[in-house]
Amino acid sequence: MALTMHNKEFANKQIMDSTKYVRYTPEQVEALERVYSECPKPSSLRRQQLIRECPILSNIEPKQIKVWFQNRRCREKQRKEASRLQTVNRKLSAMNKLLMEENDRLQKQVSHLVYENGYMRQQLHSAPATTTDNSCESVVMSGQHQQQQNPTPQHPQRDASNPAGLLAVAEETLAEFLSKATGTAVDWVQMIGMKPGPDSIGIVAVSRNCSGVAARACGLVSLDPTKIAEILKDCPSWFRDCRCLDVLSVIPTGNGGTIELIYMQTYAPTTLAAARDFWLLRYSTSLEDGSLVVCERSLTSSTGGPTGPPPSSFVRAEMLASGFLIRPCEGGGSIIHIVDHVDLDAWSVPEVLRPLYESSKILAQKMTMAAMRHIRQIAQETSGEIQYGGGRQPAVLRTFSQRLSRGFNDAINGFLDDGWSLLSSDGGEDVTVAINSSPNKFLGSQYNWSMLPAFGGVLCAKASMLLQNVPPALLVRFLREHRSEWADYGVDAYSAACLKASPYAVPCARPGGFPSSHVILPLAHTVEHEEFLEVVRLEGHAFSPEDVALARDMYLLQLCSGIDENTVGACAQLVFAPIDESFADDAPLLASGFRVIPLDSKAAMDGPAASRTLDLASALEVGSGGTRPAGGTELSNYNSRSVLTIAFQFTFENHMRDNVAAMARQYVRSVVGSVQRVAMAISPSRLGPHAGPKALPGSPEALTLARWISRSYRIHTGGELLRADSLTGDALLKQLWHHSDAIMCCSLKTNVIHLTNHFMIIFRDKNMGYSILC
């Protein structure tokens, strides 16, 4: 009994000792804070070491120091959580304000439409009671009344050749822009799938029944207005189609703003139409409520003003009142309204391409939403919300993406002032070949020209083709994940050799060559995962002594975008360039790749598009009644056209130019054929409206495998596995599949670092004979 009482007293004393309040001196707190900044959760040994090293902590028990660190971590966690909640609250308050303003705008638009409806009803009821002449007049008047929803501004004659006249044009541009950004000057229709929220891109809308094409976006960004204006005015940093933007004149205004005269050139997205340029007036000013406005419009004969540079090889397009309105939010951040309104002169392009220049959805994806995404990306990088591995700074990774995209656009357009010139055709009009002998095209001014004395220039082979009923996102995703279906390893080796001082020359492509396995290494992605930057490692192999140069691994820097099938109006793109193992920040990039742009809007579907597998192994059995993956019936309603643009760039030595040109033509034609086969295999239109699918003629993967086995047999045995008269198309696959012998194919890859075995077995139990290919 006495022992029990003693144990209770001892336990109570321990509890009191461990929970008693300790008052720390400022010097003690400072010492503990120093340790906390280095190690928020020190071990027992570290705490004892701290007591020994700091005499001022000698009167504090180790348990109390442990409790101090626990409390300190708890306070830090509470502080971060409170800060996060305050940030979310500010975002929600700002978004609520933005939605209320949007609701007011929509109510005004509804009121206007109700008035229009009543007016049209009145005209329809009064039409029978009038004469034929009055009826015609009423119809004309009603048409004029209906056009008032999106009127074309009429500008009075003025002398805009002086600052006062330019300021008058600027003030009119400002008024028109604000009426589009916050008013009802344009009939805006919200894009499908754009859900507003504190962490979303914002509210995105496109125009309906207005001159030209227009898009509008508004959202929240955690940056101050001045920083946002600085970013958006640097158009080439976020608008991938912007080739150059030159500010030719800056005129200060009396109200503290500035007027800039700007000449801007943009790339053509395909090889089938000319590029566009703009002659613009840009007006930057502040409003009475503290908002910052940057608006711009084209200077034409109707607006007056100085005459811009001649368009030369460009088609002069017109920008109607556009720009961005930036309003500061309480507690930090900004609300942004962006409006893009252009007339791209669609009648100057072939009729099949006009939807590309008349689509507000494509404009929204390429300009308006691209600007919002770029700002949000920088805002999250600045706040530390995004962390990239590999030690690369976000700005460096963005530069890589911009350089890849710009290099691909340069290759597609082939501007004369960049040094491009066309080579004579070989008789076929399907592939265009251009050369550029300027050393700065590939090496850049920072590289030593003497490093590659035999370097003759850069050669580009490009082609465009029309695709029917092939989802752009699905096609590009297949090309990204199944590179062996279209790429030639020998051509990849030739492209990689341009990075060496003594390049290994591959005089021609090898159709039906061995497919190489590739590994995709993620490098970076944008906030909404609509764009990926990655490194692709192509595993090297050598099947004969003369192929020893192919045994090393090769690397590609690759940019992939637009592979979300649910995105409306997005361009799907796959661009890549060979790099060496060092992967320097200033490494030269020779971009090649694919671009698929939808020409029609996506067909409406009852439900969300189900994801489809890209594995075409189910089509191995020719003529079989195998089932398609789930989701095929949903995509069978897809009915649209798109334009595919292919461009491949190669370096060449002076004495090898003609050989490289022939190889490039042959290779691009081979790639076009592969893409056509892939497009036929993945096209949802191949499925009928009923459950029974049509028989596929054999997937590209199966045909490639059959060629691979046949070629390997011929190389190692000297004989023919299959009859020579059936080495193309489905006949090759059928003959291999129904071969009388069982065939087992094994490939072995070895190098210094690792040993990998790949086995592919095709087995037919007939004569039980085995042919082993090593």
Side-chain angles (χ1 to χ4, degrees):
M1 187 70 176
L3 183 60
T4 303
M5 292 295 295
H6 176 74
N7 290 338
K8 288 183 178 180
E9 291 177 1
F10 180 75
N12 292 335
K13 182 178 180 181
Q14 276 193 322
I15 295 174
M16 292 177 62
D17 289 342
S18 63
T19 58
K20 68 179 181 179
Y21 180 76
V22 178
R23 184 179 296 276
Y24 297 91
T25 64
E27 292 78 9
Q28 291 174 333
V29 173
E30 183 180 356
L32 293 171
E33 287 287 353
R34 282 198 304 268
V35 177
Y36 181 84
S37 62
E38 299 174 358
C39 179
K41 194 173 182 179
S43 63
S44 176
L45 295 177
R46 181 68 180 93
R47 293 194 298 269
Q48 293 177 6
Q49 180 184 1
L50 174 63
I51 294 175
R52 290 194 302 268
E53 293 176 353
C54 298
I56 58 176
L57 300 176
S58 59
N59 62 333
I60 302 178
E61 297 180 4
K63 291 183 179 180
Q64 291 298 332
I65 293 181
K66 179 181 179 180
V67 171
W68 185 92
F69 277 98
Q70 290 175 345
N71 294 338
R72 181 65 178 83
R73 290 194 299 271
C74 184
R75 290 197 303 271
E76 181 71 15
K77 184 178 180 181
Q78 291 176 346
R79 185 189 64 80
K80 290 181 179 180
E81 182 65 13
S83 177
R84 187 188 68 82
L85 292 176
Q86 289 176 359
T87 302
V88 172
N89 183 59
R90 286 196 301 267
K91 288 183 178 181
L92 291 175
S93 299
M95 179 58 68
N96 181 59
K97 179 181 178 181
L98 185 62
L99 292 175
M100 290 177 64
E101 293 175 353
E102 183 70 8
N103 185 53
D104 293 340
R105 189 193 66 80
L106 291 175
Q107 287 181 353
K108 293 179 182 178
Q109 186 173 352
V110 168
S111 300
H112 188 84
L113 292 175
V114 170
Y115 172 77
E116 288 285 336
N117 187 41
Y119 181 84
M120 293 298 296
R121 287 177 178 273
Q122 180 182 358
Q123 293 296 313
L124 291 174
H125 284 100
S126 60
T130 59
T131 63
T132 303
D133 293 338
N134 292 337
S135 176
C136 294
E137 183 179 358
S138 66
V139 171
V140 172
M141 291 300 294
S142 65
Q144 294 176 351
H145 189 81
Q146 187 175 8
Q147 291 177 357
Q148 291 179 2
Q149 172 69 20
N150 298 299
T152 301
Q154 300 296 326
H155 303 281
Q157 294 294 327
R158 66 170 74 84
D159 180 13
S161 60
N162 53 60
L166 289 176
L167 181 59
V169 175
E171 292 293 344
E172 288 181 1
T173 304
L174 174 62
E176 292 178 22
F177 162 70
L178 292 177
S179 66
K180 297 174 184 179
T182 60
T184 58
V186 173
D187 185 8
W188 297 113
V189 178
Q190 186 169 338
M191 284 187 66
I192 299 175
M194 296 290 106
K195 297 180 180 180
D199 296 321
S200 70
I201 193 173
I203 304 171
V204 182
V206 294
S207 61
R208 181 177 61 183
N209 300 330
C210 75
S211 58
V213 290
R216 169 181 174 269
C218 50
L220 305 175
V221 177
S222 56
L223 292 174
D224 62 272
T226 305
K227 179 65 174 177
I228 294 175
E230 178 185 344
I231 295 171
L232 290 180
K233 291 174 77 171
D234 183 17
C235 192
S237 68
W238 56 266
F239 183 29
R240 295 292 173 81
D241 284 354
C242 180
R243 185 193 182 207
C244 66
L245 188 146
D246 298 325
V247 179
L248 303 183
S249 179
V250 180
I251 305 171
T253 61
N255 57 4
T258 57
I259 294 176
E260 299 168 285
L261 299 182
I262 296 173
Y263 177 63
M264 182 174 71
Q265 295 178 347
T266 61
Y267 292 105
T270 72
T271 62
L272 305 175
R276 266 54 180 165
D277 67 349
F278 297 85
W279 173 236
L280 304 171
L281 176 146
R282 184 163 67 188
Y283 181 38
S284 305
T285 187
S286 298
L287 302 182
E288 294 181 356
D289 61 356
S291 301
L292 186 61
V293 180
V294 178
C295 56
E296 50 194 7
R297 71 167 309 125
S298 290
L299 290 177
T300 62
S301 57
S302 61
T303 61
T307 304
S312 61
S313 59
F314 293 80
V315 173
R316 182 60 51 86
E318 181 180 2
M319 179 178 291
L320 290 80
S322 306
F324 44 93
L325 167 66
I326 312 171
R327 295 185 298 176
C329 295
E330 297 180 4
S334 306
I335 296 178
I336 314 174
H337 295 258
I338 301 178
V339 173
D340 293 304
H341 194 174
V342 296
D343 185 349
L344 298 175
D345 192 11
W347 292 100
S348 65
V349 302
E351 184 176 0
V352 69
L353 290 181
R354 286 178 190 168
L356 181 59
Y357 294 80
E358 296 174 339
S359 172
S360 297
K361 297 181 179 68
I362 293 179
L363 176 71
Q365 291 285 352
K366 293 172 65 175
M367 286 192 69
T368 317
M369 296 174 65
M372 290 292 292
R373 288 183 176 125
H374 184 70
I375 298 171
R376 294 185 66 234
Q377 183 82 19
I378 294 180
Q380 295 196 15
E381 291 172 356
T382 304
S383 63
E385 297 180 39
I386 300 179
Q387 299 292 336
Y388 294 127
R392 301 276 182 177
Q393 293 295 325
V396 175
L397 297 175
R398 282 200 307 272
T399 301
F400 278 128
S401 301
Q402 293 165 4
R403 290 175 57 197
L404 281 174
S405 181
R406 184 178 183 84
F408 188 58
N409 279 323
D410 282 333
I412 291 175
N413 287 261
F415 292 114
L416 296 177
D417 56 359
D418 278 343
W420 289 100
S421 60
L422 294 178
L423 281 183
S424 58
S425 173
D426 62 349
E429 301 295 333
D430 55 337
V431 179
T432 302
V433 177
I435 62 170
N436 192 331
S437 300
S438 172
N440 291 337
K441 164 61 187 169
F442 173 60
L443 296 178
S445 58
Q446 72 272 30
Y447 292 93
N448 186 2
W449 169 248
S450 62
M451 290 174 55
L452 299 178
F455 177 79
V458 174
L459 182 145
C460 176
K462 51 192 174 182
S464 292
M465 57 185 292
L466 200 65
L467 300 176
Q468 187 76 20
N469 299 333
V470 179
L474 190 61
L475 176 60
V476 168
R477 196 159 75 241
F478 185 92
L479 295 174
R480 170 178 176 259
E481 298 177 3
H482 297 259
R483 184 180 177 85
S484 62
E485 292 300 324
W486 56 266
D488 186 282
Y489 190 82
V491 176
D492 287 335
Y494 178 82
S495 299
C498 68
L499 304 175
K500 307 297 181 182
S502 299
Y504 164 71
V506 179
C508 63
R510 303 184 179 188
F514 290 95
S516 64
S517 58
H518 71 284
V519 179
I520 297 177
L521 309 173
L523 195 61
H525 59 79
T526 51
V527 175
E528 297 183 345
H529 294 77
E530 76 279 353
E531 185 176 275
F532 300 88
L533 184 66
E534 50 203 13
V535 173
V536 180
R537 178 167 62 87
L538 305 177
E539 296 183 352
H541 46 60
F543 297 95
S544 59
E546 60 269 19
D547 289 339
V548 67
L550 303 181
R552 66 175 182 271
D553 290 348
M554 296 176 294
Y555 298 89
L556 302 174
L557 182 64
Q558 183 167 276
L559 180 69
C560 182
S561 60
I563 58 175
D564 183 1
E565 294 181 53
N566 296 319
T567 303
V568 179
C571 159
Q573 185 171 271
L574 183 70
V575 181
F576 46 86
I579 56 174
D580 59 14
E581 295 85 348
S582 64
F583 190 21
D585 292 347
D586 57 352
L589 298 177
L590 200 60
S592 303
F594 307 86
R595 174 181 293 159
V596 191
I597 309 176
L599 294 177
D600 299 316
S601 60
K602 182 177 287 189
M605 298 183 183
D606 295 336
S611 60
R612 302 178 62 219
T613 178
L614 296 180
D615 182 10
L616 301 184
S618 59
L620 276 171
E621 295 195 23
V622 180
S624 67
T627 59
R628 279 280 186 145
T633 55
E634 287 84 351
L635 284 175
S636 64
N637 296 326
Y638 189 94
N639 184 12
S640 181
R641 297 175 300 168
S642 56
V643 58
L644 166 66
T645 300
I646 303 174
F648 284 86
Q649 296 190 82
F650 308 95
T651 59
F652 63 88
E653 300 177 5
N654 288 312
H655 64 285
M656 294 289 292
R657 191 190 75 173
D658 293 339
N659 290 345
V660 175
M663 177 271 290
R665 283 193 177 97
Q666 177 188 355
Y667 183 55
V668 170
R669 285 168 180 155
S670 173
V671 171
V672 168
S674 300
V675 170
Q676 288 175 335
R677 290 194 300 270
V678 171
M680 290 180 61
I682 68 176
S683 172
S685 63
R686 297 188 63 86
L687 290 175
H690 305 292
K694 298 179 182 179
L696 292 180
S699 74
E701 289 176 334
L703 296 176
T704 300
L705 176 60
R707 295 191 189 99
W708 181 22
I709 294 174
S710 177
R711 184 172 183 268
S712 178
Y713 188 91
R714 182 172 62 253
I715 290 175
H716 292 282
T717 67
E720 292 292 341
L721 180 65
L722 307 173
R723 294 195 307 271
D725 58 350
S726 60
L727 291 180
T728 59
D730 302 341
L732 173 67
L733 182 60
K734 288 182 179 179
Q735 192 177 157
L736 179 65
W737 188 250
H738 298 289
H739 201 278
S740 59
D741 297 330
I743 302 171
M744 182 175 70
C745 176
C746 304
S747 66
L748 180 68
K749 178 183 183 299
T750 61
N751 57 30
V752 178
I753 301 176
H754 61 274
L755 176 67
T756 306
N757 293 281
H758 303 283
F759 295 93
M760 180 66 70
I761 300 175
I762 299 179
F763 184 82
R764 297 289 291 178
D765 187 11
K766 289 192 176 180
N767 299 334
M768 296 303 294
Y770 292 89
S771 176
I772 302 178
L773 310 180
C774 300

